[in-house]
Amino acid sequence: QVRVVESGGGSVEAGGSLRLSCVVSGYTGREFCVGWWRQVSGRGAETVARITSDGVITYADYSTSPKDRCTISQAISQSDSKATIYLRIDSLKPEDSAMYICAVDSLCTWNIRLMAYRGQGTQVTVSS
């Protein structure tokens, strides 16, 4: 059974940093793509970044994306079929406040609805 569990969110002041973690376990495919999205209640999910099992990284590029302030990375444990994907965001702004959600599938897509497995998310709240 595939599990996706996010953690690391919290309340921070503007200008601070957070490192979010996404632990994917039970995934047996040889290749995977893990993405981070963020969602504010009542609005659609915004893409943030993604990384493949081969280490290919892509940051979403749109007017309000945090691409210049975030770093995605991963640590894979072959022994217990577990991968941890990190998303660090620096110079946090109030508009970064959202539920940050992690999802995994064998192929990459920017549409979270097409991802096979997703977590419950971790809340980030940035105060001014």
Side-chain angles (χ1 to χ4, degrees), residues 37 39 42-47 101-105 107 109-118:
W37 283 259
Q39 187 167 26
R43 292 167 53 181
E46 289 185 339
T47 56
I101 305 164
C102 177
V104 62
D105 204 331
L107 299 175
T109 174
W110 286 126
N111 187 343
I112 192 173
R113 297 182 180 182
L114 298 179
M115 299 294 279
Y117 309 99
R118 57 181 288 180

Side-chain angles (χ1 to χ4, degrees), residues 10-117:
S11 297
V12 296
E13 293 185 353
S17 299
L18 279 176
R19 190 179 77 160
L20 310 180
S21 298
C22 170
V23 177
V24 179
S25 59
Y27 185 87
T28 58
R30 294 183 61 183
E31 299 177 340
F32 64 79
C33 183
V34 177
W36 280 99
W37 283 259
R38 61 186 185 182
Q39 187 167 26
V40 174
S41 180
R43 292 167 53 181
E46 289 185 339
T47 56
V48 179
R50 67 191 187 199
I51 187 168
T52 70
S53 48
D54 294 334
V56 177
I57 292 172
T58 308
Y59 295 101
D61 187 3
Y62 50 91
S63 60
T64 56
S65 72
K67 65 181 180 68
D68 295 327
R69 298 182 286 111
C70 65
T71 304
I72 190 171
S73 60
Q74 65 183 356
I76 299 175
S77 172
Q78 301 289 353
S79 61
D80 56 3
S81 298
K82 183 180 294 185
T84 303
I85 291 80
Y86 303 101
L87 180 71
R88 178 182 173 90
I89 309 176
D90 298 312
S91 302
L92 282 160
K93 304 176 181 180
E95 50 263 44
D96 292 321
S97 298
M99 180 72 76
Y100 283 72
I101 305 164
C102 177
V104 62
D105 204 331
S106 59
L107 299 175
C108 288
T109 174
W110 286 126
N111 187 343
I112 192 173
R113 297 182 180 182
L114 298 179
M115 299 294 279
Y117 309 99

